[in-house]
Amino acid sequence: MTQNFQTNDGLSDASAPPESSFSKKLKTHLSRTRDRLVDRNLRNKLISTNLKSSRTKNVRFFNSATETIFSTLLLEKKELAFVAYGDPEGTDDADADIDADAQISIEVEDPDQAFNANELATKLSKEGLKKKLRALYYEAREVEEEQGVNVLYLAVGFLKWYEGDASETERFAPLVLLPVELLRSGAQDVFKLKLREDDLFTNISLKLWLREQNSIDLPDIPDDEAWSLGAYFAKVQEAIKGESRWQVVQGECVLGLFSFNKFMLWRDLDPDNWPLGHGLLDHPVIQQLLIPPTDLGEAEPPLIPAAASIDDHFTPQDLCYVVDADSSQTEAIQTVLAGKNLVIQGPPGTGKSQTITNIIAAAVKQGKRVLFVAEKMAALNVVHDRLSAAGLKVVALELHSRRATKSGVLQQLRESVDSQAYPAVAERAFRALVESQDFLNLHAKRVNVPREPWGFSAFEMIGEISKLQRSELNLFNFAVPKASSYTKEQLSVLTTSLKNLSDRLVISGVPSTHP
């Protein structure tokens, strides 16, 4: 399956109603935002891949019957092996001299070693090949674990291009990239290459670069499993016919790391990809993010007044939480469930993932759908693990890991459909919880109510006595002891504590009885 990215040609429908100035501003801001997602410079390997340096992490193959390799991986779903024909005593720099325009032939002593459709041959030594494959394996795995995206691709066919008529520097950009993964049975075993169950992407960086720099429209990869490399390369050659020195190098094949992680965002932010009646630019949140209102007016009042108690506004039946939540987290969760927008900030360890877990669980209980996204894989895993531990794995569709394949998604859906309904909580459990809650809340209120005629609460009194006890002044009455019984530091603490109490007594109208 292929994934095409259509770009807006700027053509307008004469029958369409005229756009408002606000709508034009939205489109302009959105276009600028999308442009920043696509890296369009020569450091991007999707625009300029260094094929002639042995110092890169890429592995370049020279028996590149690309049509056969493409068919073996994509259509026959077979694995490919790696073969090293370099000098065991060499420095692995031999591949640096390979001309990208030439097919390389190597004489082999054993006819049985002749190249076949299930091999990818390199001019690296066996040790050099092993090191490069291991480096690609670990880096690709690390990126996927952290960001949830695959970056390992087999690039088949390259566009050779020049920056200008006077330039002698050859540039090479990949045309077809097959999403692959490296497999091995054990740490000491050899690697094999396998196609992943991911979509094929048009090289958008190159497509935008060619359109902006040379007014060339790179054709999209056909959305048809029966398409052939030769036919696609012919279309590319036709598109670049105006550039005399440019050409499609069909026999070039390279395994390397190519990042497509922002292309899905780039596609999703195209207003033309959204269904009628549910336009991206029609959403009020998108409008406020792109063009913040100049006059916000008064801020919305908080869901719960500052001096109010959470328990006075919500019953245990209202708080459908699966992990612990304090009062500030509860307020944030209920604010979200009330349909309000908010930003939650806090350092690590303050319970943000707990809050997100509770929001998802409570929203699902209300029959709502939740899309949870994060830049780092670790953040997604933490929330998914918390939901799983709470018994809610069947309601969480995992689309951020290796399970995000077609077969993996189908299996998750099957488990969800076959899962049993959760038993309802008995009413008596809620009544018992309310009774305990009321008892604790009453205690909290009683110890915090100021007592007349002194004007301070039992909680404040306990606090002052605790200060004295920490200084080893174990007093349980307020008679002033002899000064000679205490050190200078203890007298200072005693004086401060008694003064605090005295001040409160004076404020409440009770005369002070100590010096």
Side-chain angles (χ1 to χ4, degrees):
M1 183 178 181
T2 59
Q3 178 62 65
N4 295 334
F5 296 93
Q6 303 294 335
T7 54
N8 192 346
D9 292 326
L11 302 177
S12 59
D13 185 356
S15 62
E19 287 186 311
S20 66
S21 59
F22 180 72
S23 179
K24 290 179 180 179
K25 286 182 181 179
L26 279 176
K27 285 190 174 181
T28 300
H29 283 270
L30 181 60
S31 177
R32 291 173 183 169
T33 301
R34 292 182 71 217
D35 284 347
R36 290 198 295 268
L37 291 173
V38 181
D39 187 8
R40 298 192 289 276
N41 58 64
L42 296 178
R43 295 188 301 274
N44 184 355
K45 291 198 300 181
L46 292 168
I47 292 177
S48 179
T49 300
N50 191 340
L51 295 181
K52 297 187 176 182
S53 173
S54 62
R55 292 185 295 272
T56 66
K57 293 180 181 178
N58 299 337
V59 179
R60 188 179 179 192
F61 308 104
F62 60 82
N63 62 322
S64 300
T66 51
E67 199 67 73
T68 302
I69 293 172
F70 177 80
S71 177
T72 301
L73 280 174
L74 185 67
L75 303 180
E76 299 176 26
K77 309 298 182 185
K78 292 182 179 179
E79 298 176 359
L80 294 178
F82 300 94
V83 183
Y85 286 99
D87 183 0
E89 304 298 328
T91 60
D92 287 330
D93 288 335
D95 64 332
D97 299 324
I98 299 177
D99 186 350
D101 297 333
Q103 289 289 336
I104 304 301
S105 61
I106 289 184
E107 295 182 2
V108 294
E109 297 179 1
D110 185 354
D112 293 336
Q113 289 184 349
F115 307 137
N116 60 62
N118 296 329
E119 286 185 352
L120 292 168
T122 77
K123 290 196 70 176
L124 296 168
S125 66
K126 286 186 177 180
E127 187 61 29
L129 175 61
K130 182 179 179 180
K131 288 180 179 178
K132 284 205 171 189
L133 292 179
R134 191 189 307 123
L136 287 172
Y137 172 78
Y138 283 113
E139 186 166 345
R141 189 173 73 171
E142 181 181 0
V143 172
E144 185 164 10
E145 287 176 351
E146 289 189 358
Q147 302 180 20
V149 294
N150 174 54
V151 293
L152 185 64
Y153 288 85
L154 183 67
V156 181
F158 279 75
L159 171 66
K160 185 176 79 170
W161 62 280
Y162 298 85
E163 292 183 69
D165 295 337
S167 175
E168 296 298 326
T169 303
E170 298 174 340
R171 305 284 185 183
F172 297 92
L175 290 174
V176 178
L177 294 112
L178 301 175
V180 292
E181 60 182 328
L182 289 167
L183 304 174
R184 60 179 177 178
S185 300
Q188 301 303 319
D189 295 324
V190 296
F191 283 102
K192 288 192 175 183
L193 195 69
K194 179 184 178 183
L195 187 77
R196 291 176 60 113
E197 293 186 44
D198 292 341
D199 293 334
L200 272 64
F201 294 97
T202 302
N203 188 342
I204 291 303
S205 292
L206 180 63
K207 186 179 181 73
L208 294 180
W209 174 277
L210 293 178
R211 172 169 289 187
E212 294 171 358
Q213 302 294 326
N214 302 85
S215 299
I216 293 174
D217 189 12
L218 181 72
D220 289 315
I221 292 177
D223 190 12
D224 180 5
E225 292 188 358
W227 65 283
S228 68
L229 278 180
Y232 179 70
F233 290 155
K235 289 183 179 180
V236 177
Q237 191 66 54
E238 175 66 21
I240 63 172
K241 63 183 180 180
E243 303 288 342
S244 58
R245 295 187 295 165
W246 291 25
Q247 69 179 95
V248 175
V249 185
Q250 298 190 29
E252 194 65 54
C253 188
V254 172
L255 177 66
L257 304 175
F258 300 90
S259 179
F260 280 85
N261 60 333
K262 293 184 179 178
F263 286 173
M264 297 303 290
L265 289 174
W266 185 88
R267 184 205 65 176
D268 290 344
L269 288 175
D270 184 355
D272 295 336
N273 287 334
W274 286 68
L276 235 36
H278 301 277
L280 174 68
L281 295 177
D282 297 329
H283 199 287
V285 173
I286 299 297
Q287 293 177 356
Q288 292 180 22
L289 288 173
L290 291 175
I291 304 180
T294 55
D295 184 12
L296 293 175
E298 293 186 4
E300 289 186 355
L303 189 67
I304 301 171
S309 170
I310 290 283
D311 295 335
D312 292 337
H313 289 74
F314 302 105
T315 66
Q317 289 95 325
D318 299 327
L319 307 180
C320 181
Y321 302 163
V322 294
V323 293
D324 293 340
D326 61 22
S327 59
S328 63
Q329 293 168 338
T330 298
E331 184 173 1
I333 296 166
Q334 296 305 129
T335 299
V336 172
L337 296 178
K340 298 179 180 293
N341 302 314
L342 77 162
V343 176
I344 300 175
Q345 292 179 307
T350 53
K352 295 186 295 299
S353 63
Q354 288 177 242
T355 303
I356 294 169
T357 302
N358 280 327
I359 288 174
I360 294 174
V364 170
K365 175 65 168 58
Q366 294 181 0
K368 297 179 179 179
R369 293 170 294 175
V370 180
L371 174 63
F372 175 49
V373 296
E375 184 177 2
K376 298 293 184 180
M377 173 75 85
L380 295 169
N381 284 335
V382 167
V383 173
H384 183 266
D385 291 346
R386 288 183 182 275
L387 288 170
S388 298
L392 297 179
K393 184 178 181 179
V394 293
V395 303
L397 184 60
E398 188 177 3
L399 296 175
H400 65 277
S401 69
R402 287 182 176 271
R403 292 198 67 189
T405 60
K406 294 176 183 177
S407 58
V409 169
L410 289 174
Q411 178 61 26
Q412 291 184 76
L413 293 175
R414 186 177 299 110
E415 292 174 357
S416 179
V417 171
D418 295 341
S419 65
Q420 300 296 321
Y422 290 100
V425 178
E427 187 65 30
R428 63 177 179 275
F430 283 114
R431 288 198 300 269
L433 181 57
V434 170
E435 290 175 3
S436 298
Q437 187 181 75
D438 291 342
F439 173 80
L440 293 173
N441 285 337
L442 179 60
H443 172 74
K445 290 177 181 178
R446 294 176 67 178
V447 298
N448 284 283
V449 172
R451 299 296 177 178
E452 299 299 336
W454 306 283
F456 52 85
S457 66
F459 179 77
E460 291 171 317
M461 173 68 78
I462 294 171
E464 294 299 330
I465 293 176
S466 296
K467 291 179 184 177
L468 296 174
Q469 289 179 326
R470 282 198 299 271
S471 298
E472 298 182 1
L473 300 169
N474 298 315
L475 304 177
F476 294 95
N477 58 67
F478 294 97
V480 180
K482 295 181 179 179
S484 59
S485 303
Y486 301 98
T487 65
K488 183 177 181 180
E489 291 76 12
Q490 290 175 326
L491 282 173
S492 176
V493 173
L494 177 61
T495 303
T496 301
S497 296
L498 292 176
K499 184 177 184 304
N500 289 338
L501 291 171
S502 176
D503 291 342
R504 297 299 298 272
L505 290 170
V506 171
I507 292 173
S508 63
V510 179
S512 175
T513 58
H514 68 81

